[in-house]
Each structure stands twice: as structure tokens, then as C-alpha cells.
Amino acid sequence: MGQLVFNEKKVLVFGWARSGKAAAKRLLDLGANVTVVNRDAYPDDTDYQQLLAAGVEFVIGDQAEQLSPDFAYVVKNPGINYDHPLVKKALALKIPILTEVAVALSTFQGRLITVTGSNGKTTTTSLIGEMLKAAGVPVTVAGNIGTPVCEVVGALKSSDTLLLELSSFQLLGIPAIQPDIALITNIFTNHIDYHKTRENYVAAKFRITQDQRPDQILVLNAQGADSPDFAAKTAAQVYGFSRSGNQTFAHVNQTELIVDGQTVLPLSQIRLVGPQNLENILAAVAVAKLAGVSTTAMATVLKSFGGVPHRLQHLFDREGVAYYNDSKATDIEATQAALDSFTKPTIWLAGGLDRGDDLTRLAPNLKHVKGVIAFGQTQQKIVELARSQHLPVITAVDVERAAPMAIKLAQPGDVVLLSPAAASWDQYDNFEVRGEVYTKALQEAFEQGEN
């Protein structure tokens, strides 16, 4: 990016999560005068003590009066909404509001590859990263995938590749991003509580390409409803991928995965399961090919890559039953894709935060489901859905109790699938914790059975 200058500028970092810490440290390296504002008290840990000794000012409380007109920038945690009083004051004062990604990219001079979308971002980013590594390309993976970009960018050279997964929240805080290759996996209707309208959400996603140059590349899902509009508006070169069309840059025929006219490998050799993962794979091979990766390196990764934790992750097979953890399925579309991934009899574990979604949309995807275990705030909705399809259904308090129930119900040849179709926040801090609790509960139930 390069247009942001922080040296001797007064910068307010709003939020003391991992991204806030990373941003504060990087801003110090860039010569900024840093003030951190957080709603709650700060833990008296090494990070806090080091930054305090380095001159960072720490303020407890997130009232709007903490922000004065002499601040040059506000760097906020991506999850903090724009209707927060302090953020609204920054907007009124015309102070640029950034996320830590913008701070990091202000000095990066290497090749930039970015991935966004509603679903599949992490799996696709991970696949691209593994393919680049298999091809011997120096690559660093960061962003929404778990590592703040500010933690890694200082060590990168102009010969390095930086691969970023970016959320819509992060993209809103990057003034002008110009990735060499940008990918949009898909767009559904997500995060309306944050963006207020679907149009705002789609516009946030488009920011990944809106400042790209004609010598740069945008990879789009050819089946995406918004893709034709994006292709018309971007200045970048557009390449497509599709599960259903053989005219796109990356596609499949009945037996093979193909990119740029070359066969990558037979579909039967791909380890990942499910139609949504096939889309993720197509997106990944399209980007990898455009980044110079050989089909041999792609095939090597696809034969061994077993998935990312909590994303239709194959946990293990026990007594002829396959157990999957798809805790990341926090919306209906993700669970639809997960259910459609299996033709074997499936025991489906579902439920979570009730955001008013119409769960009856899942009815057509239950054709291979033999039983349902419902939990969480949406428990009763799941029960009603199961009964409407004449499926056996039982209830559990949470996934910890549901896991051993599923083991008892399962028979050889079955699939046990946690795919909640809801966020985790009614019972768990995040979907990762929910998935970990489920996995541990399965393991403990098997151990108790053996003992």
C-alpha cells in the first residue's frame, strides 16, 4: 500500500485483543506515538509491561471522549462495530479508521495474495499456502486465519509472498489494498448485524479488488450471484472457477480436476470430501496456477491435505463409523454443504445461537440423515425440522452431552456429523471451543467404553 505514514503520528489503538497488541507493537516500530484504549482492565503480562516501558499510554474505558482531534489514525479491532460512540466520533472528526492489516501492509513490498468470501476462506487459504510451499515458494500465511499480519510483516522481504485471509470486517479498515492476486470464494448473506444490509456486506467484500490495477488478478466463483457485477467493476484481469462449467479457468469434468487446460489429478485421489471443499480446491488451484505453482505440486498437496480443524474435519473412524467436526458451520449454507457431502446414513448434531434463521431451508439436505441430536438455543427449531421430515430426534444440553449419544446411535457404515448451522455464542466463546469440546467428548466416551 505505502500511502500510510505513522512516523511521529499520534495513533489510537482501540481494543486489546491479539490484533491490538500486534498493531501497537508494529506502530512503535514505525515511529508512532501510541495510545491504547480498551473497555476492560489490561492483564499485567509481558506484552503490557514491555509496551508500557516503551512509552505506550494505556487507557481503561472506551468512552468517546478518549478520542481527541489530534489523533492521526484510529486502529480498531475488526469486531468493534462502526456504530460504537468512539468510532462514530472518529468518523465525525474525519480521522481514518484502520484495522491492523492496513498498518502491516503500509511497508510490505513483496507479492500479496488475498482471500475473502463468506465460506471456505480458511480451507482455501490453507490449501494455497501448502501448494506454494510444495512448489518451494517462500510464503507467509496470516490475517483472519489466526495470525495478525503485524506479527509477521516486519521480517518479510520484497522477494517473499504474503498470503492473507481477510474478513469483511478487516477489509473495511484497509483504505486501498492492491493485491497481486485476489480471490473471492463466494458470497452469501452474512454478518447483517454488523453491516446492516446485504449491500453493505457485498461492498465490503468488493474492497479486496476495487483498487486493483489492470496488471493484477481477480479470481471469482463463476457461479456466484455477485460475480458478474464484480467482474464488470474491477480493473483487474478476471479468472473464474466452477464445479459445473467446463469453460472456466479451473473446473472439473466427471473424473478429473482441471486448471488452465491441464489435468491436476483424478477426483478420486483428492482427500477432502464435500462439494464445498471441491469449490475450495478449485479456487485454490486457480490461484496457485496463476502464482506459478506446478500441477505436480498441487496434486501432492491434494492427495494428503485432510482439512482444517472444525471445517468438515475428519476426526477418525471407530468401529466402522466416520466422525466429522464441522463446528465452523455457523450458517445454514455451510451446513447444507456439509450434509450434501455424504451419501452414507448420517447422524446429524446441530444447534446453537438463535439468530432468527429459517432452518426449514435445510429440509432438502436431510435425505441421508437417519437421526438428529439437537442442542443450544435453536434446539426446538431443530426438533421441529426433524419431525417435519419424520426423522428420529433427541435433545442434549450441549455438544459435550450430544457426543456420547451419537456414539450409541451410530452403526457401522454411518457418519456422525457435528454441523451446527448456528453460531456458538449461546454456550461457547467461539466455534473452535465448541469443536474442541465435541472432539474431547468423543475421545473420552471411547476411552470410558474401553475401560
Side-chain angles (χ1 to χ4, degrees):
M1 285 170 38
Q3 72 272 30
L4 298 174
V5 177
F6 299 103
N7 187 41
E8 298 185 358
K9 302 288 186 180
K10 191 173 180 182
V11 182
L12 186 139
V13 175
F14 183 15
W16 190 235
R18 185 176 176 183
S19 68
K21 294 179 183 180
K25 292 178 181 179
R26 186 60 183 161
L27 285 163
L28 279 181
D29 292 342
L30 297 176
N33 300 314
V34 181
T35 299
V36 179
V37 168
N38 195 53
R39 182 186 60 189
D40 303 317
Y42 302 89
D44 190 16
D45 55 17
T46 302
D47 290 323
Y48 174 79
Q49 290 296 338
Q50 288 179 345
L51 289 171
L52 189 66
V56 172
E57 180 183 358
F58 288 90
V59 178
I60 299 173
D62 58 357
Q63 292 80 19
E65 53 263 30
Q66 310 291 2
L67 181 68
S68 56
D70 58 337
F71 280 97
Y73 300 101
V74 169
V75 180
K76 77 171 187 67
N77 182 290
I80 297 172
N81 209 308
Y82 283 78
D83 59 10
H84 189 286
L86 192 151
V87 181
K88 290 172 71 174
K89 183 175 180 180
L91 290 169
L93 292 172
K94 294 183 168 47
I95 299 173
I97 301 169
L98 311 176
T99 49
E100 65 89 20
V101 181
V103 176
L105 293 182
S106 66
T107 59
F108 179 65
Q109 299 298 318
R111 178 169 64 169
L112 179 62
I113 301 175
T114 57
V115 178
T116 196
S118 297
N119 291 332
K121 295 187 295 296
T122 299
T123 298
T124 305
T125 302
S126 299
L127 276 168
I128 296 168
E130 291 303 311
M131 290 174 183
L132 288 166
K133 291 173 186 175
V137 176
V139 59
T140 298
V141 183
N144 195 56
I145 200 167
T147 303
V149 194
C150 281
E151 288 186 4
V152 299
V153 73
L156 299 182
K157 305 181 294 294
S158 60
S159 57
D160 290 329
T161 294
L162 180 58
L163 171 60
L164 301 184
E165 176 191 326
L166 297 176
S167 69
S168 58
F169 304 162
Q170 289 170 318
L171 284 166
L172 282 176
I174 308 174
I177 186 170
Q178 293 182 308
D180 297 285
I181 304 174
L183 164 66
I184 302 175
T185 59
N186 49 56
I187 295 181
F188 300 114
T189 302
N190 280 2
H191 305 303
I192 300 305
D193 53 340
Y194 187 98
H195 293 286
K196 309 308 179 188
T197 67
R198 186 182 191 278
E199 290 74 19
N200 289 343
Y201 174 64
V202 172
K205 292 297 189 186
F206 184 73
R207 291 174 71 98
I208 202 168
T209 184
Q210 71 179 15
D211 292 298
Q212 281 188 292
R213 304 185 306 267
D215 63 329
Q216 296 173 325
I217 291 169
L218 173 64
V219 178
L220 291 173
N221 188 332
Q223 296 172 269
D226 302 285
S227 293
D229 186 49
F230 283 7
K233 290 179 179 178
T234 184
Q237 305 165 43
V238 177
Y239 292 80
F241 66 92
S242 173
R243 282 191 291 125
S244 63
N246 59 9
Q247 303 302 312
T248 53
F249 184 70
H251 61 274
V252 295
N253 58 27
Q254 291 185 339
T255 60
E256 297 173 318
L257 176 70
I258 298 166
V259 62
D260 195 22
Q262 295 178 285
T263 297
V264 180
L265 80 171
L267 297 177
S268 60
Q269 295 182 12
I270 296 173
R271 186 176 174 191
L272 283 178
V273 300
Q276 82 281 24
N277 274 327
L278 184 54
E279 283 202 350
N280 297 336
I281 289 165
L282 285 164
V285 298
V287 171
K289 180 65 175 178
L290 292 163
V293 175
S294 70
T295 54
T296 301
M298 297 177 204
T300 299
V301 171
L302 292 173
K303 290 175 184 177
S304 61
F305 187 85
V308 179
H310 316 298
R311 294 158 176 86
L312 202 56
Q313 176 192 12
H314 178 228
L315 296 173
F316 44 73
D317 290 350
R318 292 292 296 266
E319 300 174 3
V321 179
Y323 291 84
Y324 285 84
N325 167 22
D326 193 37
S327 183
K328 179 61 173 67
T330 58
D331 56 37
I332 290 173
E333 287 83 4
T335 294
Q336 286 175 322
L339 290 167
D340 289 346
S341 298
F342 302 101
T343 56
K344 294 181 178 180
T346 301
I347 296 170
W348 175 41
L349 290 70
L353 183 72
D354 192 346
R355 294 189 286 197
D357 294 329
D358 179 13
L359 296 183
T360 63
R361 292 165 51 204
L362 286 160
N365 309 97
L366 302 179
K367 51 186 176 291
H368 299 298
V369 172
K370 62 177 284 188
V372 180
I373 304 176
F375 52 83
Q377 282 185 4
T378 58
Q379 181 184 88
Q380 189 56 37
K381 288 185 177 181
I382 297 290
V383 169
E384 292 171 1
L385 170 65
R387 288 175 176 166
S388 74
Q389 303 302 303
H390 309 291
L391 291 171
V393 57
I394 57 177
T395 60
V397 175
D398 51 27
V399 294
E400 185 174 10
R401 276 78 165 187
M405 292 179 181
I407 292 173
K408 291 180 181 178
L409 291 175
Q411 297 176 329
D414 287 354
V415 167
V416 171
L417 171 66
L418 169 67
S419 189
S424 61
W425 302 317
D426 59 331
Q427 295 179 313
Y428 304 97
D429 288 344
N430 50 55
F431 70 84
E432 292 98 337
V433 171
R434 178 170 63 187
E436 289 162 3
V437 169
Y438 165 68
T439 303
K440 183 179 179 182
L442 287 174
Q443 293 168 337
E444 289 180 348
F446 282 119
E447 289 173 3
Q448 290 172 3
E450 292 172 355
N451 294 332

